[in-house]
């Protein structure tokens, strides 16, 4: 059941859990989570971070037990979607026990490329159940929030757009004679860097070069 703004604020003022997955390699999602935790702490909120090992998003009995224990330690918790959407029953139990559970959904787990049809259907069902039982949902873009609303009927999805660290203007590569493209994403089929390279190589003219 969605939480009211006053209820959420009151719980956040005491202590907030933040549950994510234990991943060494940086991703856009993990960087976003780290920045969100830093901002919350700078605002005076006591954030307790839990990085859970396990085969997420599928999870297993051990990782689900770790998630259950983490959610019991705070009256309210933010849970990364890769963890939350793989364990809807754990979320439902926590909400039923009076905890406020908000899913931070970067990308629906069923949208990952390379999944077998049966696995995709299973992930979609788990995801739908998790988003149904959660107290709230937070997305990093208006597009993803609208997609969650369209697919799952939630009209209370919040949006927290990521910012950037201040830096000087980049010099660029035009002066080198061969323009370069920087793509900021993990090397996964979903990010699809290969298509970018293929289209780049098929280009008849380089960007900035007269036809």
């Amino acid at each position: 059941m969605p939480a009211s703004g006053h209820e959420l604020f009151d719980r956040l003022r005491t202590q907030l859990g933040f549950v994510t997955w234990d991943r060494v390699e940086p991703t856009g999602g993990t960087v976003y989570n780290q920045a969100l935790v830093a901002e919350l702490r700078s605002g005076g909120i006591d954030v307790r971070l839990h990085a859970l090992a396990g085969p997420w998003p599928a999870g297993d009995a051990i990782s689900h037990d770790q998630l259950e224990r983490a959610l019991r330690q705070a009256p309210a918790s933010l849970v990364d979607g890769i963890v939350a959407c793989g364990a809807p029953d754990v979320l439902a139990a926590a909400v039923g026990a009076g905890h406020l559970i908000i899913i931070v959904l970067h990308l629906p787990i069923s949208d990952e490329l390379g999944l077998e049809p049966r696995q995709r259907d299973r992930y979609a069902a788990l995801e739908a159940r998790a988003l149904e039982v959660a107290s709230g949902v937070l997305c990093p873009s208006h597009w993803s929030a609208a997609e969650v609303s369209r697919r799952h009927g939630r009209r209370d999805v919040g949006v927290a757009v990521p910012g950037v660290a201040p830096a000087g203007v980049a010099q660029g590569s035009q002066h080198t004679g061969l323009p370069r493209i920087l793509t900021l994403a993990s090397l996964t089929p979903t990010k699809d860097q290969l298509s970018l390279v293929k289209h780049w190589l098929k280009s008849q003219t380089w960007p900035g070069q007269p036809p």
Side-chain angles (χ1 to χ4, degrees), residues 65-157:
D65 183 63
Q66 292 175 336
L67 174 59
E68 182 181 0
R69 291 200 304 270
L71 296 181
R72 286 202 303 260
Q73 294 181 29
S77 293
L78 299 174
V79 187
D80 186 279
I82 288 181
V83 174
C85 290
D89 291 341
V90 179
L91 267 61
V95 172
H99 296 271
L100 191 79
I101 307 297
I102 300 172
I103 298 177
V104 181
L105 189 66
H106 299 280
L107 175 74
I109 59 175
S110 59
D111 281 1
E112 188 69 39
L113 296 181
L115 297 176
E116 295 293 331
R118 181 177 299 180
Q119 186 181 29
R120 185 180 304 281
D121 291 343
R122 177 174 178 270
Y123 279 178
L126 288 171
E127 177 183 288
R129 171 64 174 157
L131 292 170
E132 176 187 4
V133 302
S135 310
V137 183
L138 180 67
C139 290
S141 72
H142 292 283
W143 179 90
S144 57
E147 189 67 8
V148 169
S149 296
R150 183 187 69 80
R151 293 187 192 184
H152 303 288
R154 291 204 68 139
R155 302 292 178 238
D156 59 339
V157 181

